[in-house]
Amino acid sequence: MDIVTLAQAAEQNVTGYGAIGYGLAAIGPGIGIGILVGKTVEGMARQPEMAGTLRTTMFLGIAFTEALALIGIVAGFLF
């Protein structure tokens, strides 16, 4: 075998790791949003007069958690 054949055999590009990485990165924010919404509903059930404040805080938490998912998709495309 010559050196060109060995170099071509060593140069194999595997694609699809970005999609797998994003799928794994989306698990964390999905679990986080589920816990966040569940605890907010629980808090609203315990103290209905605080529903407006809890809802506002919940939406802020969802926004920050979704930022993690966006970072995960960007990292999946970069690496």
Side-chain angles (χ1 to χ4, degrees):
M1 294 186 100
D2 59 346
I3 192 74
V4 175
T5 307
L6 289 175
Q8 288 175 349
E11 187 182 322
Q12 292 181 356
N13 293 332
V14 179
T15 59
Y17 287 141
I20 294 171
Y22 176 64
L24 292 174
I27 292 173
I31 292 171
I33 289 176
I35 292 171
L36 177 70
V37 172
K39 293 295 182 177
T40 302
V41 170
E42 182 181 332
M44 287 180 189
R46 289 176 184 244
Q47 289 189 340
E49 67 273 4
M50 292 294 295
T53 305
L54 289 172
R55 190 177 300 118
T56 302
T57 307
M58 178 188 70
F59 286 136
L60 284 172
I62 288 173
F64 290 136
T65 307
E66 282 298 319
L68 293 175
L70 292 175
I71 290 171
I73 194 168
V74 169
F77 285 128
L78 289 179
F79 303 118

